[in-house]
Amino acid sequence: MAASKMMQFVAVPQTLPHKRSVEERVQDFGEIYDRFRPERAAEQASRCEQCGIPFCQIHCPLHNNIPDWLRMTAEGRLEEAYELSSATSAMPEICGRICPQDRLCEGNCVIEKGFNSVTIGTVERYINDTAFEMGWVKPPVPLRERNGSVAIIGAGPAGYSAAFELRRKGWQVDVYDRYDRAGGLLMYGIPGFKLEKEVVVRRTRLLEEAGVRFHLGCDVGAPGQPSFAELRARHDAVFIGTGVYKARALQVPGVGLPGVVPALHYLTASNRKSLGDEVAAFDDGSLNAAGKHVVVVGGGDTAMDCVRTAIRQGALSVKCLYRRDKENMPGSMREVKHAEEEGVEFVWLSAPEAFVGEARVEAVRAVRMRLGAPDSTGRQSPEQVPNSGFRLPADLVIAALGFDPEDHLAMFGEPELKVSRWGTITIDWSTMQTNLEGVFAGGDIVRGASLVVWGVRDGRDAAAAMHRYLLNRTAEHDALATAA
Ligand code: FAD
Ligand code: SF4
Ligand code: SF4
C-alpha cells in the first residue's frame, strides 16, 4: 500500500461522520452519528501532523499511540491500526464514542490555530468497529493457563479492563456484579444515543468466550449473598470496581414530593425499557417524561443525558436548571450542543429554592444566581441574586447533582478497609493496592465520579500490579511446597 501524505490539515477541513437530523434522531435511542466511510476516515486521519511530542497522546489517560494509528489508517493499514489501538485499551470502540475528547486527546491536538483538531475519537471508533466486522477482534484467550484466581467486584469499565488484562495473562477470573447485566454505567447509566447497548454486550461476550465467569445478580455483602470475606478466602486476589451510586440529595423544601426523582433511577428505567424489560415505574408514568413538563437540575454529563432522554420520551418541554453559566458547566460542550439542537432550554445561573405542589410536584420555585468570588479551587462560587425568584411549571423534576460512594462498611463489613473522608477507597497509586493484603481497587470508587477512560486505565494498571502480586504469591506457594 502506498504511503500516505500526512499533514493534510491545511487542504482537508475537519469533518465528522454524518449526523442524523434532529427530527429523525429524537424518534429513537440509536446513536446519532453514522460511521465514517473508509475514504473519509483515511482522509481525516491524514490531517495529523505526526508531532514529535504528541500532546494528544500525553493527554489521553491511556496514552494511546494516536499518531501511529492515524498514520496507518491514512495508509489503509487498518488491521495494523487496530492491533495498535487495542494494545493499550480494553474498549477502544467505546472510548472512541463517549470520551469527552474536547477535554482530552482532541482538546490538546496542536494543529495550527485556525484549523480544527484531528477527529481522533471518531477515527478510533471507525478502526475498532471495522475490526469487529472483519473478525479481527478475538477473545483475550491466554497462551498458557495459570492456577491463581481473582475476584473482580463490579462489571463496569474498571472491572472489564482488569478482567480483560488478567485473563489475557492466564489467571482465572470471576466477575461479580449485583445487576442482571454486565457493563455498569455503560449498560444502565449512559443512554443508547451515546452508546448502543449491543456495543457493550459484544465486549461482555468476548470476555465470556475467553473464559471469564460472570456471576450476575450477585450483590456482594448483601444478606444471602457472598460476603467480601468469602470472596477473599475463595480467590488469591480481589479487585474492587464498584463505582459510586449514592445520589447527592437536593436540600430544598418539597424534595420528597412524588414526581421529584433521582437521575439514575430515571436513566436506568429508560435503558431497561429500551432493552425490552418490563419496567413498572416507566409504564405507570413515574419514571417517564412523555407528555410532561420536565425540569432537570444539574449541569454535568448525567444532566445532559436526562434532558436528551426526556426529549426522546416525548416531553412537552425540557428545561435544564444550572446554577453557574455555560462556560462554567462541568458537562461536555459537545453534549450541550446536541441538547440545544434537540430542543432543550437551558436556564443558566439559576437554582431551585423549592418544589411546590399538592399531591405531586407541579412547579419549581427558582432563584437567579450570579458568580461571586473564586473558592479554594479557583472556581467562582454562585450566590443568589436578591428578589429574583421565578417559577417554572414541572410535572417531573430530575435531580442530577452527582454521586458519592455508598457506605463501604455496610457493603463489605470490613472495618479495616481504608477510605477517604469522601468515602472513596484509598489505594497506593504505585501498586493500586488498598491497605488490605491482596485487595486492589480502581475506577470511580477510588477517584469519585469520573470517566470511563479513567476506569479503563485503572483496571489496566491494577491488572499489571495484580499480575506481579500473583506471580510472587505463586512462587512463594511453590517454594513452600518444595520445602515441605
Ligand atoms: P461503574 O460503571 O459504576 O460500575 C460499577 C459496577 O459495580 C456496577 O455494575 C455495579 O452494579 C457494581 N457493584 C456495585 N456494588 C456492588 C456490590 N456490592 N456487589 C457487586 N457488584 C457491585 N463517562 C464518560 O467517559 N463519558 C460519558 O459520556 C459518560 N456519561 C455518563 C453518564 C451518566 C448518566 C453517568 C452516571 C456517568 C457517565 N460517565 C461518563 C461516567 C462513567 O460512566 C463512569 O466514570 C464509569 O462507568 C466508572 O466505571 P466503574 O467501573 O468505576 O464503575
Ligand atoms: Fe481520545 Fe479517549 Fe481514545 Fe484516549 S481513549 S484517544 S482520550 S477518545
Ligand atoms: Fe496528530 Fe494532533 Fe496528535 Fe499532533 S497532537 S500527533 S497533530 S493528532
Side-chain angles (χ1 to χ4, degrees), residues 280-330:
F282 182 92
D283 296 337
D284 72 14
S286 32
L287 293 176
N288 183 352
K292 294 189 175 137
H293 293 288
V294 178
V295 174
V296 175
V297 183
D301 285 331
T302 304
M304 293 311 100
D305 289 349
C306 290
V307 289
R308 297 179 66 203
T309 297
I311 291 276
R312 281 159 178 77
Q313 289 177 346
L316 291 178
S317 71
V318 183
K319 293 191 172 55
C320 179
L321 212 60
Y322 181 54
R323 62 197 182 132
R324 291 188 165 90
D325 57 9
K326 191 172 183 177
E327 287 65 44
N328 287 286
M329 74 181 293

Side-chain angles (χ1 to χ4, degrees), residues 98-394:
I98 58 169
C99 269
Q101 286 102 5
D102 45 354
R103 286 188 262 147
L104 300 170
C105 54
E106 293 179 18
N108 288 281
C109 173
V110 297
I111 274 188
E112 257 88 316
K113 234 179 159 27
F115 298 95
N116 290 318
S117 69
V118 179
T119 51
I120 300 168
T122 37
V123 175
E124 186 178 29
R125 175 191 160 187
Y126 167 78
I127 295 169
N128 289 280
D129 280 351
T130 308
F132 269 104
E133 268 174 28
M134 299 299 288
W136 301 333
V137 186
K138 299 281 185 279
V141 177
L143 290 176
R144 60 171 275 214
E145 293 290 344
R146 298 179 194 272
N147 277 330
S149 86
V150 295
I152 292 181
I153 312 177
Y160 259 54
S161 174
F164 179 87
E165 304 289 349
L166 285 162
R167 185 64 198 124
R168 191 145 76 162
K169 289 188 161 67
W171 303 106
Q172 309 308 311
V173 179
D174 288 85
V175 179
Y176 301 85
D177 199 291
R178 63 183 169 197
Y179 284 145
D180 54 346
R181 291 184 178 92
L185 289 171
L186 299 177
M187 181 57 73
Y188 287 136
I190 298 173
F193 50 81
K194 277 165 61 183
L195 175 65
E196 286 175 6
K197 300 308 150 192
E198 178 49 30
V199 178
V200 184
V201 171
R202 190 165 73 173
R203 276 280 153 202
T204 309
R205 232 182 275 132
L206 273 185
L207 290 180
E208 283 172 338
E209 283 164 17
V212 172
R213 289 179 292 266
F214 281 90
H215 307 266
L216 299 176
C218 179
D219 192 352
V220 177
Q225 302 275 343
S227 68
F228 180 61
E230 275 164 22
L231 293 192
R232 282 188 81 193
R234 203 184 289 171
H235 299 277
D236 298 294
V238 176
F239 175 79
I240 305 176
T242 45
V244 287
Y245 283 87
K246 197 168 84 187
R248 275 184 210 141
L250 275 161
Q251 309 281 1
V252 296
V255 74
L257 279 171
V260 182
V261 302
L264 208 51
H265 289 201
Y266 173 70
L267 291 173
T268 304
S270 174
N271 276 319
R272 281 194 177 281
K273 200 68 197 167
S274 300
L275 284 157
D277 292 356
E278 289 279 319
V279 186
F282 182 92
D283 296 337
D284 72 14
S286 32
L287 293 176
N288 183 352
K292 294 189 175 137
H293 293 288
V294 178
V295 174
V296 175
V297 183
D301 285 331
T302 304
M304 293 311 100
D305 289 349
C306 290
V307 289
R308 297 179 66 203
T309 297
I311 291 276
R312 281 159 178 77
Q313 289 177 346
L316 291 178
S317 71
V318 183
K319 293 191 172 55
C320 179
L321 212 60
Y322 181 54
R323 62 197 182 132
R324 291 188 165 90
D325 57 9
K326 191 172 183 177
E327 287 65 44
N328 287 286
M329 74 181 293
S332 159
M333 275 306 126
R334 184 181 62 184
E335 297 306 313
V336 177
K337 188 162 168 265
H338 292 152
E340 282 175 335
E341 285 169 1
E342 289 167 10
V344 174
E345 190 187 322
F346 284 86
V347 191
W348 306 113
L349 289 164
S350 303
E353 264 193 327
F355 303 124
V356 288
E358 293 291 322
R360 53 174 294 116
V361 71
E362 289 162 19
V364 177
R365 222 176 57 220
V367 63
R368 301 274 173 214
M369 309 293 284
R370 64 182 165 218
L371 295 178
D375 62 16
S376 57
T377 64
R379 224 169 156 216
Q380 283 181 284
S381 308
E383 53 192 37
Q384 282 192 13
V385 177
N387 306 318
S388 63
F390 63 102
R391 216 176 142 99
L392 296 172

